[in-house]
Short mmCIF file of all heavy atoms in Angstrom, two decimals:
data_model
loop_
_atom_site.label_atom_id
_atom_site.label_comp_id
_atom_site.label_asym_id
_atom_site.label_seq_id
_atom_site.Cartn_x
_atom_site.Cartn_y
_atom_site.Cartn_z
N ASP A 72 -0.06 8.08 -13.68
CA ASP A 72 -0.72 9.25 -14.24
C ASP A 72 0.00 10.53 -13.76
O ASP A 72 0.23 10.65 -12.56
CB ASP A 72 -2.17 9.17 -13.69
CG ASP A 72 -3.05 10.33 -14.13
OD1 ASP A 72 -2.49 11.42 -14.49
OD2 ASP A 72 -4.26 10.19 -14.23
N PRO A 73 0.37 11.44 -14.70
CA PRO A 73 1.09 12.65 -14.23
C PRO A 73 0.38 13.44 -13.09
O PRO A 73 1.01 14.12 -12.34
CB PRO A 73 1.18 13.50 -15.47
CG PRO A 73 0.83 12.61 -16.62
CD PRO A 73 0.08 11.46 -16.09
N ASN A 74 -0.97 13.21 -13.01
CA ASN A 74 -1.73 13.97 -12.01
C ASN A 74 -1.79 13.30 -10.60
O ASN A 74 -2.40 13.75 -9.74
CB ASN A 74 -3.16 14.17 -12.43
CG ASN A 74 -3.17 14.99 -13.74
OD1 ASN A 74 -2.49 16.01 -13.85
ND2 ASN A 74 -4.03 14.51 -14.66
N GLU A 75 -1.12 12.15 -10.52
CA GLU A 75 -1.29 11.43 -9.23
C GLU A 75 -0.16 11.53 -8.22
O GLU A 75 -0.05 10.66 -7.35
CB GLU A 75 -1.68 9.95 -9.52
CG GLU A 75 -0.60 9.10 -10.14
CD GLU A 75 -0.89 7.61 -10.04
OE1 GLU A 75 -1.44 7.11 -9.08
OE2 GLU A 75 -0.53 6.91 -10.95
N GLN A 76 0.71 12.46 -8.41
CA GLN A 76 1.78 12.66 -7.47
C GLN A 76 1.23 12.93 -6.08
O GLN A 76 0.23 13.59 -5.99
CB GLN A 76 2.75 13.72 -7.95
CG GLN A 76 3.53 13.34 -9.18
CD GLN A 76 4.59 12.21 -8.95
OE1 GLN A 76 4.77 11.79 -7.87
NE2 GLN A 76 5.01 11.71 -10.01
N PRO A 77 1.89 12.65 -4.97
CA PRO A 77 3.14 11.94 -4.89
C PRO A 77 2.96 10.32 -5.04
O PRO A 77 2.05 9.87 -4.37
CB PRO A 77 3.71 12.34 -3.58
CG PRO A 77 2.55 12.62 -2.72
CD PRO A 77 1.46 13.12 -3.67
N ILE A 78 3.83 9.81 -5.80
CA ILE A 78 3.72 8.33 -5.95
C ILE A 78 5.18 7.69 -5.99
O ILE A 78 6.07 8.33 -6.57
CB ILE A 78 2.89 7.93 -7.19
CG1 ILE A 78 2.91 6.38 -7.33
CG2 ILE A 78 3.38 8.55 -8.45
CD1 ILE A 78 1.74 5.80 -8.02
N SER A 79 5.27 6.53 -5.48
CA SER A 79 6.52 5.83 -5.41
C SER A 79 6.30 4.61 -6.25
O SER A 79 5.19 3.90 -6.30
CB SER A 79 6.78 5.46 -3.99
OG SER A 79 7.98 4.65 -3.92
N ILE A 80 7.37 4.12 -6.95
CA ILE A 80 7.32 2.83 -7.55
C ILE A 80 8.03 1.81 -6.75
O ILE A 80 9.20 2.08 -6.21
CB ILE A 80 7.89 2.81 -9.00
CG1 ILE A 80 6.99 3.70 -9.90
CG2 ILE A 80 8.11 1.42 -9.58
CD1 ILE A 80 7.31 3.66 -11.39
N GLN A 81 7.34 0.58 -6.44
CA GLN A 81 8.06 -0.35 -5.55
C GLN A 81 8.65 -1.50 -6.38
O GLN A 81 7.99 -2.07 -7.28
CB GLN A 81 7.03 -0.96 -4.58
CG GLN A 81 7.82 -1.77 -3.51
CD GLN A 81 6.94 -2.62 -2.60
OE1 GLN A 81 6.12 -3.35 -3.10
NE2 GLN A 81 7.14 -2.47 -1.29
N LEU A 82 9.86 -1.77 -6.07
CA LEU A 82 10.61 -2.81 -6.83
C LEU A 82 10.86 -4.00 -5.91
O LEU A 82 11.04 -3.77 -4.69
CB LEU A 82 11.90 -2.32 -7.36
CG LEU A 82 11.90 -0.99 -8.21
CD1 LEU A 82 13.36 -0.44 -8.42
CD2 LEU A 82 11.19 -1.28 -9.52
N PHE A 83 11.04 -5.10 -6.45
CA PHE A 83 11.58 -6.29 -5.66
C PHE A 83 12.57 -7.03 -6.48
O PHE A 83 12.45 -7.11 -7.72
CB PHE A 83 10.47 -7.21 -5.14
CG PHE A 83 9.87 -8.04 -6.24
CD1 PHE A 83 10.23 -9.35 -6.41
CD2 PHE A 83 8.74 -7.67 -6.95
CE1 PHE A 83 9.69 -10.22 -7.35
CE2 PHE A 83 8.16 -8.44 -7.87
CZ PHE A 83 8.63 -9.75 -8.13
N ASP A 84 13.58 -7.55 -5.78
CA ASP A 84 14.62 -8.33 -6.52
C ASP A 84 15.75 -8.58 -5.49
O ASP A 84 15.69 -8.10 -4.35
CB ASP A 84 15.17 -7.59 -7.70
CG ASP A 84 15.42 -8.58 -8.86
OD1 ASP A 84 16.37 -9.36 -8.85
OD2 ASP A 84 14.59 -8.62 -9.81
N CYS A 85 16.70 -9.38 -5.95
CA CYS A 85 17.89 -9.59 -4.98
C CYS A 85 19.14 -9.18 -5.78
O CYS A 85 20.31 -9.35 -5.33
CB CYS A 85 18.04 -11.02 -4.51
SG CYS A 85 18.20 -12.17 -5.77
N ARG A 86 19.00 -8.73 -7.04
CA ARG A 86 20.19 -8.36 -7.87
C ARG A 86 20.40 -6.80 -7.87
O ARG A 86 19.67 -6.07 -8.34
CB ARG A 86 19.97 -8.76 -9.32
CG ARG A 86 19.97 -10.22 -9.57
CD ARG A 86 21.18 -10.75 -10.34
NE ARG A 86 21.84 -9.94 -11.29
CZ ARG A 86 22.18 -10.33 -12.47
NH1 ARG A 86 21.84 -11.55 -12.94
NH2 ARG A 86 22.85 -9.55 -13.34
N PRO A 87 21.38 -6.33 -7.13
CA PRO A 87 21.68 -4.93 -7.05
C PRO A 87 21.74 -4.24 -8.37
O PRO A 87 21.25 -3.15 -8.59
CB PRO A 87 23.05 -4.82 -6.32
CG PRO A 87 23.14 -6.13 -5.57
CD PRO A 87 22.46 -7.23 -6.38
N ASP A 88 22.41 -4.93 -9.45
CA ASP A 88 22.44 -4.33 -10.73
C ASP A 88 21.15 -4.10 -11.33
O ASP A 88 20.82 -3.06 -11.97
CB ASP A 88 23.47 -5.07 -11.63
CG ASP A 88 23.11 -6.53 -11.77
OD1 ASP A 88 22.31 -7.05 -10.90
OD2 ASP A 88 23.64 -7.18 -12.66
N PHE A 89 20.31 -5.16 -11.27
CA PHE A 89 18.91 -4.97 -11.83
C PHE A 89 18.08 -3.95 -11.06
O PHE A 89 17.39 -3.20 -11.68
CB PHE A 89 18.19 -6.38 -11.78
CG PHE A 89 18.68 -7.37 -12.78
CD1 PHE A 89 18.18 -8.65 -12.81
CD2 PHE A 89 19.68 -6.99 -13.73
CE1 PHE A 89 18.56 -9.57 -13.76
CE2 PHE A 89 20.15 -7.92 -14.65
CZ PHE A 89 19.57 -9.26 -14.62
#
Side-chain angles (χ1 to χ4, degrees):
D72 178 336
N74 298 318
E75 67 166 323
Q76 293 291 350
I78 177 155
S79 178
I80 290 185
Q81 191 190 53
L82 305 172
F83 72 93
D84 221 283
C85 63
R86 289 253 326 231
D88 51 345
F89 286 177

